[in-house]
Amino acid sequence: MDNKENLLVALGGNALIRKGQVGTIEEQFENLQTPIRQIARLSSNYRIIITHGNGPQVGNLLLQQECCENVPRLPLEILVAQTQGQIGYMIESTLDSELMALGTHDQKPLVSLISYVVVDENDPAFNNPSKPIGPFFPQEIAKTLPYPSVKLEKGYRRVVASPRPITIVEKNEIKNLIEMDFIVICCGGGGIPVIREGRAFSGVDAVIDKDLASARLALEVGVDIFLIATDVAGAAVNYGEPSQRFLRGVRASEASEYLAAGHFPPGSMQPKIEAAMEFIRGGGKRAMITSIEAIEEALAGRAGTEVLADEG
Ligand code: ADP
Ligand code: MG
């Protein structure tokens, strides 16, 4: 076995659908080229795992279900599985053509895995569903829905629990595959949430944050570098204000102070910072948050926010 480092790249939903786009398949394939071209180049020097979000895709599936009375509605776990297949296929085929263009296609087998992530049935998140998903409804309809909803600016939206990821069911398979130099695409949409029932697993109606699931996976398979790619240059303090300042290197303890001071909101920058901190505190070497365009630059230390270990 060679001594290449293991790199996990977590792609945000915006790697496929950018803000303001409708999200046609053509748009999604085109957007994917930006991160995937970089990942293809990096695959000569690193063993690679790719994880990805699925917010807009699962939202569209939910909306399609609402538009059709003729077929039975599918539970969320099934929709998450569908998006893993759909996005896995899109990433794989884009990667395949980029590797072919580099001429390294023959040495790089690819695989997308349907992935399950174990959550705790006693996770307090189940008593307090907080993650809005899917279409917006007017109040009259929201009242008739078979699940809880929350009032937002554009209308009512279904809310689901977002429990913490405990362990990735396929961690050993993923580890073996990257050791064989496969590029592995997994944990799409944070994984299909399951709870243990004796020796078996059963799916639950919930969504797991993809950044937190990726950090778990990274620690469980011994990743060296954990990189979160999104639609901003990194993590900023005073984000959106005139005094906004993007952080370059930030100690984990300093990041947790900024977190406590409210600089990183839940559902967007908070899980990324928490994921990076968890990885670094769990013994990972490097953790960074950067833009989809600057994956290689961030690895080279020239872009993004790197969360650093506290001095011991
Ligand atoms: P992804 O799909 O990649 O997970 P998210 O939308 O969940 O992306 O998170 C990225 C978003 O976080 C950015 O588009 C930005 O608007 C928002 N954000 C909120 N607070 C901050 C902050 N302090 N620094 C940078 N971005 C922030
Ligand atoms: Mg996100």
Side-chain angles (χ1 to χ4, degrees):
M1 212 177 87
D2 55 47
N3 52 6
K4 281 187 206 160
E5 287 183 306
N6 298 334
L7 165 67
L8 187 153
V9 180
L11 296 176
N14 51 279
L16 289 114
I17 304 182
R18 290 173 186 260
K19 280 187 187 126
Q21 289 185 331
V22 288
T24 64
I25 286 298
E26 292 73 21
E27 282 170 343
Q28 298 192 50
F29 269 119
E30 181 167 343
N31 294 335
L32 263 182
Q33 285 180 1
T34 301
I36 297 301
R37 188 162 293 165
Q38 299 174 72
I39 291 172
R41 286 192 290 255
L42 290 167
S43 69
S44 306
N45 299 320
Y46 297 92
R47 300 172 188 284
I48 295 189
I49 299 174
I50 302 171
T51 63
H52 59 86
N54 72 346
Q57 291 78 12
V58 88
N60 285 347
L61 291 177
L62 284 162
L63 186 55
Q64 284 172 354
Q65 305 214 82
E66 296 301 327
C67 300
C68 174
E69 299 293 335
N70 301 342
V71 291
R73 300 216 170 138
L74 300 171
L76 196 49
E77 70 196 83
I78 302 292
L79 300 182
V80 173
Q82 289 188 359
T83 63
Q84 290 187 347
Q86 165 192 347
I87 300 171
Y89 155 65
M90 296 182 77
I91 292 177
E92 247 188 71
S93 61
T94 307
L95 196 46
D96 203 43
S97 26
E98 295 298 335
L99 290 169
M100 222 179 272
L102 292 175
T104 51
H105 168 253
D106 290 343
Q107 303 105 16
K108 288 285 164 199
L110 313 176
V111 64
S112 326
L113 283 185
I114 300 295
S115 325
Y116 304 87
V117 175
V118 179
V119 299
D120 180 355
E121 61 183 315
N122 298 315
D123 191 304
F126 285 109
N127 299 324
N128 177 30
S130 62
K131 169 89 184 166
I133 57 161
F136 291 88
F137 298 100
Q139 188 173 14
E140 318 80 78
I141 308 278
K143 278 191 298 205
T144 68
L145 295 175
Y147 33 71
S149 61
V150 64
K151 186 176 190 307
L152 298 168
E153 244 171 67
K154 288 198 270 173
Y156 284 77
R157 219 169 163 205
R158 175 179 182 186
V159 281
V160 293
S162 187
R164 308 288 293 193
I166 294 177
T167 186
I168 312 315
V169 174
E170 298 80 7
K171 54 184 173 289
N172 295 326
E173 289 82 345
I174 295 169
K175 194 165 198 263
N176 286 330
L177 286 166
I178 53 168
E179 278 169 9
M180 291 192 286
D181 225 11
F182 274 80
I183 300 179
V184 184
I185 302 150
C186 57
C187 282
I192 301 167
V194 293
I195 52 173
R196 261 185 226 278
E197 287 182 327
R199 292 171 144 258
F201 294 110
S202 68
V204 287
D205 243 10
V207 291
I208 303 171
D209 183 86
K210 73 111 181 26
D211 297 312
L212 297 178
S214 301
R216 254 327 41 238
L217 174 66
L219 289 173
E220 291 190 321
V221 305
V223 158
D224 300 289
I225 308 176
F226 173 35
L227 187 147
I228 300 175
T230 184
D231 63 349
V232 275
V237 290
N238 301 325
Y239 182 71
E241 292 165 33
S243 56
Q244 158 181 307
R245 177 172 61 88
F246 278 93
L247 301 165
R248 294 283 284 113
V250 58
R251 298 267 168 215
S253 54
E254 198 188 342
S256 87
E257 281 166 27
Y258 288 135
L259 191 59
H263 288 282
F264 311 128
S268 62
M269 198 42 73
Q270 173 176 328
K272 297 187 198 310
I273 288 287
E274 280 184 356
M277 282 169 38
E278 177 178 338
F279 178 71
I280 284 301
R281 288 183 165 161
K285 279 194 217 159
R286 294 181 72 196
M288 56 204 103
I289 302 163
T290 188
S291 71
I292 291 285
E293 289 77 17
I295 294 173
E296 289 171 299
E297 284 291 291
L299 278 170
R302 292 191 295 263
T305 300
E306 180 156 357
V307 176
L308 307 161
D310 290 315
E311 280 147 320

